[in-house]
Amino acid sequence: MKINNYKKYSLLFALLVLLFTACESIVDEKELENTTDVDGVNLVVGQNSSGGNLLVLEMNTPGVTGYWDYNLGTAKTNKVEVVYPIPGTSTFTFIGTLGAEFFEKTIDVTIDVLDTPLEQDWYDLVSENTSAGKTWVFDGAGGDNGLWWFMSDPGNPWGVWWNAGGTCCPPGDAAGSMTFNLDGAANYVYDDGNGNVTNASFVLDTENQRLHLNGASILGYDADRVNPDGVYNIIELTEDKMVLFTPTNGGGTGWTWVLVPAE
């Protein structure tokens, strides 16, 4: 008996459907669920002494993952040890996931004494008297032919492309200053030398050797000179000298700053 074309095609279609169904993988879909709520996240801070500045920040709730923001940087872990340089009450933040949603939770810590020494970079930047702080100025004046504010090779902070400060074109705030202190916070004070003073903040990233300025410009402000994010590589930092550099300034070149403590 011959099978007509319609039946042939119907049979073929049925076989294909069966084959596809048999080969289709079985997916066990599960929705993400929270393992707890924000109130259930337990943050703990240990201190080396009463009011001491050696801290252990810990999130110890099972099933929760994330990282710490300790103001001077971040730690991609649930537990981190920090030598904190700022006396007073500070707020630390844990950012993580409960399973199905992200969250932030904070904890406050009071530091009364800096009984654990800081890294030397802190003392070089703000002095041994961290609350009083330290003021930095340009290492030169307009027309002195010195290298203290100049366009540089993006790959070499000492590769001079145009010595603007030491020749024809010093910045308008060449007589200004930059002051850093740890009086209750990481404070940065920008003085343009023309009667304009701005109170701001900073982050000293000792691990990556970067200085972040938040809320005020670096000396030598110019939209085509400064780093648009306020982040500067630390080329040199000693008690007597600070060299900052950006390979990516607003003008598409590098730029270098050479500063010394104010007398």
Side-chain angles (χ1 to χ4, degrees), residues 23-191:
C23 294
E24 186 179 22
S25 60
I26 299 174
V27 178
D28 183 14
E29 295 185 357
K30 292 183 179 180
E31 292 186 0
L32 292 174
E33 297 180 353
N34 290 339
T35 58
T36 185
D37 57 17
V38 176
D39 290 338
V41 177
N42 186 23
L43 304 183
V44 178
V45 178
Q47 292 176 265
N48 61 307
S49 62
S50 178
N53 69 316
L54 177 59
L55 312 177
V56 177
L57 311 176
E58 185 173 6
M59 190 292 302
N60 56 16
T61 300
V64 175
T65 58
Y67 67 94
W68 281 100
D69 180 345
Y70 53 92
N71 305 319
L72 307 175
T74 59
K76 308 297 192 247
T77 177
N78 292 347
K79 183 178 180 179
V80 61
E81 182 177 280
V82 178
V83 178
Y84 204 66
I86 304 171
T89 299
S90 296
T91 300
F92 302 95
T93 305
F94 188 84
I95 300 98
T97 175
L98 301 171
E101 61 183 297
F102 293 99
F103 75 98
E104 292 186 7
K105 189 169 183 176
T106 62
I107 188 169
D108 292 338
V109 181
T110 299
I111 296 171
D112 298 317
V113 58
L114 302 181
D115 55 356
T116 298
L118 310 179
E119 293 184 68
Q120 185 59 41
D121 284 344
W122 286 101
Y123 299 122
D124 289 336
L125 180 66
V126 305
S127 81
E128 296 283 343
N129 188 342
T130 59
S131 294
K134 187 173 182 178
T135 298
W136 296 84
V137 296
F138 276 125
D139 186 21
D144 64 359
N145 291 314
L147 292 175
W148 47 272
W149 188 71
F150 56 90
M151 180 186 292
S152 50
D153 183 337
N156 178 11
W158 293 109
V160 183
W161 282 6
W162 174 39
N163 185 15
T167 56
C168 68
C169 310
D173 59 0
S177 64
M178 302 165 62
T179 300
F180 301 89
N181 70 65
L182 301 176
D183 186 14
N187 302 304
Y188 166 50
V189 182
Y190 165 76
D191 185 340

Side-chain angles (χ1 to χ4, degrees), residues 149 171 173 217-227 249-251 257:
W149 188 71
D173 59 0
S217 171
I218 191 173
L219 275 181
Y221 174 75
D222 186 308
D224 291 334
R225 315 298 177 219
V226 302
N227 180 278
N249 71 346
W257 289 256

Side-chain angles (χ1 to χ4, degrees), residues 201-224:
S201 64
F202 76 94
V203 173
L204 177 61
D205 182 350
T206 58
E207 180 179 355
N208 296 300
Q209 287 295 284
R210 293 191 181 100
L211 181 64
H212 302 238
L213 304 178
N214 304 309
S217 171
I218 191 173
L219 275 181
Y221 174 75
D222 186 308
D224 291 334

